[in-house]
Amino acid sequence: MAIEINQQQPPQEVGLSRIAVSETHGEDSPYFAGWKAYDENPYDESKNPSGVIQMGLAENQVSFDLVEKFLEQHCEASSWGNKISAFRENALFQDYHGLQSFRKAMASFMEQIRGGRANFDPDRVVLTAGATAANELLTFILADPGDALLVPTPYYPGFDRDLRWRTGVKIVPIHCDSSSNFQITPQALEDAYNNAESMNIKVRGVLITNPSNPLGLTIQRSVLENLLDFVTSKNIHLVSDEIYSGSVFSSSEFVSVAEILQARNYKDSERVHIVYSLSKDLGLPGFRVGTIYSYNDKVVTTARRMSSFTLISSETQHLLASMLSDREFTQNYIQTNRERLRKRYEMIIQGLRKAGIECLAGNAGLFCWMNLSPLLETPTREGELSLWNSILGEVKLNISPGLSCHCSEPGWFRVCFANMSEQTLEIALKRIQEFMGRRRSQHRETVFGNSSFFRALQNRKQKRKKKFSKIRRP
């Protein structure tokens, strides 16, 4: 007797919000695909020496030993000891303003990084769980769904998620290219603004990263001056993401928008907002510490109200307040970190040059902007993706292709150098050098060894040689 199987209809799919089903999270980018490839086959010197080396992560590990040394020497900063009352006070602390001691220490640290050329009021420091939260929170405050921010290209791939996904705000690119070292020109600004207007999109502000991610380059004072004039003339905002300000190889090479405002006696400052974080300069991404510093009272008030969704734990604030209040530690850390980053930058630049690869001249950050355009089979996005796949699959290096940063010129790649040991960086450079050697050999074979033209030419030479040898015989 046959057994009847009751085949149930698949359940009807339950609907989700527009945000949940939106593709604007940006995680279909090669930037995140490279991370996945690394996670599946991570390099390890002893356990997996042929694995993928992560060069797509902008993380600062070159000075982490200084942080560890401070904690070893100041145990009280990371523990409560016998001070039960202090533990109770911080465990029950819920003020959205954050610990006053930490906001004061953060403002002081931001001043130190800028060489004392700009002042910051602790009462204007709004704490957030990292720069990601700070940028999204500011976007919520400055723009409505459907409005736009102008962002110069190439830009950090995560902005597609941070600025757009949950806010519904659009990004309109300010196209910058190598002819101006990717600096923002007045014409590029006007073109981007006019492009948005032609699409009936309301522009609410310009967002920049200074120093630039992915370029590893500071923005010139004249460009900042022009940006301030531009946003004032259009009556829009300027957001300056300065999370790499302490990772400039020399303090004098960095100009903060805060310095420009101070020189202008804070005229039109209500439209300017600065984002900062301890994830890059201090190498503490796991602590999730970011700040918004705004010159606009309403923005400060609103940001503080909204920060309830993105608070930093009291214990983290307590530890970092102690660390950043130690002037001897901060001065030594800032100077040593700059020197180590410069040394690491020079190491990767020299290694790439040895392989025949040039980079944009940089002066900041945890990465370099590498030019592989001569290797492209075709000067297109497809050609760049093909080369990126070869480097990821064959060389086992995860680097970030320029197209994930919306670069308008194919062939540029962001390469991180501070998230690994010098030994691992040497191995990565050796892999690149060997890859370039193979590419040059393949190129010679394609041009000379495998071409039908070359074979025909060789045959003709051999025939002529035989012919002349017969004529010369006695």
Side-chain angles (χ1 to χ4, degrees):
M1 184 177 178
I3 299 176
E4 264 187 47
I5 299 176
N6 183 18
Q7 295 184 344
Q8 293 183 348
Q9 293 292 325
Q12 186 176 358
E13 186 175 352
V14 181
L16 300 174
S17 71
R18 290 181 181 178
I19 290 177
V21 299
S22 170
E23 295 297 322
T24 56
H25 52 70
E27 290 187 3
D28 55 352
S29 163
Y31 174 74
F32 292 105
W35 281 30
K36 183 179 179 182
Y38 167 77
D39 289 339
E40 292 173 350
N41 183 27
Y43 167 83
D44 184 274
E45 185 178 358
S46 56
K47 298 178 181 177
N48 190 21
S50 62
V52 176
I53 295 177
Q54 174 64 291
M55 305 187 84
L57 177 62
E59 191 172 273
N60 183 6
Q61 296 181 14
V62 301
S63 301
F64 199 74
D65 61 302
L66 301 180
V67 176
E68 291 177 314
K69 184 178 178 181
F70 174 87
L71 293 177
E72 288 173 2
Q73 296 175 345
H74 301 81
C75 297
E76 74 282 356
S78 57
S79 64
W80 306 107
N82 296 321
K83 298 179 180 179
I84 301 299
S85 59
F87 170 78
R88 179 181 178 84
E89 179 183 346
N90 283 279
L92 299 178
F93 183 82
Q94 298 183 64
D95 191 340
Y96 298 154
H97 290 67
L99 291 175
Q100 185 178 13
S101 59
F102 179 52
R103 287 188 288 112
K104 184 178 179 180
M106 179 66 88
S108 175
F109 187 63
M110 292 170 67
E111 291 176 356
Q112 276 186 269
I113 283 172
R114 290 156 182 79
R117 298 185 299 272
N119 298 319
F120 295 96
D121 179 358
D123 290 336
R124 290 192 173 277
V125 172
V126 179
L127 302 178
T128 63
T132 295
N135 278 311
E136 186 191 49
L137 195 152
L138 267 177
T139 306
F140 270 120
I141 294 172
L142 304 182
D144 292 314
D147 293 342
L149 294 176
L150 305 183
V151 182
T153 64
Y155 63 75
Y156 165 55
F159 280 162
D160 289 325
R161 171 200 61 206
D162 303 350
L163 307 180
R164 300 188 310 161
W165 184 29
R166 299 199 300 180
T167 65
V169 171
K170 302 176 186 295
I171 292 177
V172 174
I174 303 169
H175 290 294
C176 307
D177 56 49
S178 58
S179 65
S180 62
N181 282 335
F182 295 98
Q183 291 281 344
I184 307 164
T185 64
Q187 188 61 54
L189 270 173
E190 287 291 347
D191 289 346
Y193 189 88
N194 293 337
N195 182 37
E197 281 201 323
S198 69
M199 295 184 288
N200 293 319
I201 298 174
K202 186 172 185 177
V203 176
R204 290 300 189 109
V206 177
L207 185 145
I208 60 173
T209 57
N210 183 29
S212 167
N213 176 10
L215 301 178
L217 188 64
T218 55
I219 297 178
Q220 299 168 0
R221 177 181 289 271
S222 59
V223 175
L224 289 173
E225 296 272 9
N226 182 66
L227 277 166
L228 275 171
D229 292 341
F230 177 82
V231 297
T232 301
S233 68
K234 304 296 185 184
N235 195 29
I236 57 178
H237 295 270
L238 175 63
V239 178
S240 184
D241 184 329
E242 300 184 359
I243 65 172
Y244 293 98
S245 53
S247 300
V248 182
F249 308 149
S250 174
S251 174
S252 61
E253 295 179 19
F254 173 67
V255 179
S256 170
V257 69
E259 297 176 47
I260 308 292
L261 289 176
Q262 198 160 307
R264 294 185 175 195
N265 294 318
Y266 301 101
K267 183 182 178 182
D268 299 312
S269 61
E270 71 280 352
R271 66 184 71 255
V272 178
H273 324 280
I274 297 172
V275 170
Y276 186 60
S277 163
L278 298 181
S279 296
K280 308 302 181 183
D281 292 345
L282 211 56
L284 300 174
F287 275 27
R288 307 310 305 148
V289 176
T291 64
I292 293 171
Y293 190 89
S294 177
Y295 296 88
N296 186 307
D297 292 341
K298 289 184 179 179
V299 169
V300 171
T301 300
T302 307
R304 192 158 282 142
R305 289 170 179 166
M306 295 180 72
S307 69
S308 60
F309 297 101
T310 173
L311 297 175
I312 306 168
S313 76
S314 299
E315 185 172 6
T316 299
Q317 294 183 55
H318 170 80
L319 186 157
L320 292 174
S322 175
M323 182 182 294
L324 298 185
S325 297
D326 189 317
R327 195 78 173 184
E328 182 180 352
F329 166 77
T330 53
Q331 286 180 341
N332 177 63
Y333 181 91
I334 291 170
Q335 180 180 348
T336 305
N337 185 56
R338 292 189 195 280
E339 293 170 354
R340 291 180 179 181
L341 286 176
R342 178 187 288 278
K343 179 183 175 183
R344 189 64 70 87
Y345 173 79
E346 290 171 351
M347 178 181 174
I348 192 171
I349 292 299
Q350 291 170 7
L352 292 174
R353 192 166 289 152
K354 185 177 178 181
I357 299 171
E358 292 298 327
C359 299
L360 182 73
N363 62 357
L366 315 176
F367 32 73
C368 61
W369 190 235
M370 179 173 69
N371 183 11
L372 293 184
S373 60
L375 294 185
L376 299 183
E377 294 180 2
T378 58
T380 60
R381 291 169 57 89
E382 291 74 21
E384 180 177 292
L385 266 180
S386 176
L387 178 59
W388 174 74
N389 277 311
S390 295
I391 294 172
L392 185 60
E394 179 185 339
V395 192
K396 296 292 192 295
L397 297 178
N398 175 36
I399 60 178
S400 305
L403 65 88
S404 68
C405 305
H406 301 273
C407 183
S408 57
E409 296 180 14
W412 292 89
F413 294 80
R414 191 192 75 166
V415 187
C416 300
F417 55 75
N419 62 318
M420 64 192 77
S421 66
E422 284 193 10
Q423 292 75 17
T424 301
L425 181 56
E426 286 173 354
I427 292 170
L429 288 170
K430 184 179 180 182
R431 289 186 185 183
I432 293 175
Q433 290 161 3
E434 291 173 349
F435 172 73
M436 292 296 290
R438 290 194 297 271
R439 279 292 175 125
R440 280 191 288 267
S441 298
Q442 292 169 3
H443 179 70
R444 283 194 293 268
E445 289 175 3
T446 300
V447 174
F448 300 111
N450 296 331
S451 69
S452 58
F453 172 78
F454 180 76
R455 288 196 297 272
L457 184 63
Q458 288 290 86
N459 290 334
R460 285 179 62 188
K461 285 183 177 180
Q462 290 174 1
K463 288 179 181 179
R464 288 180 66 189
K465 188 175 181 181
K466 289 179 181 179
K467 179 180 178 181
F468 283 118
S469 64
K470 289 178 181 180
I471 294 173
R472 289 172 182 166
R473 283 175 188 168

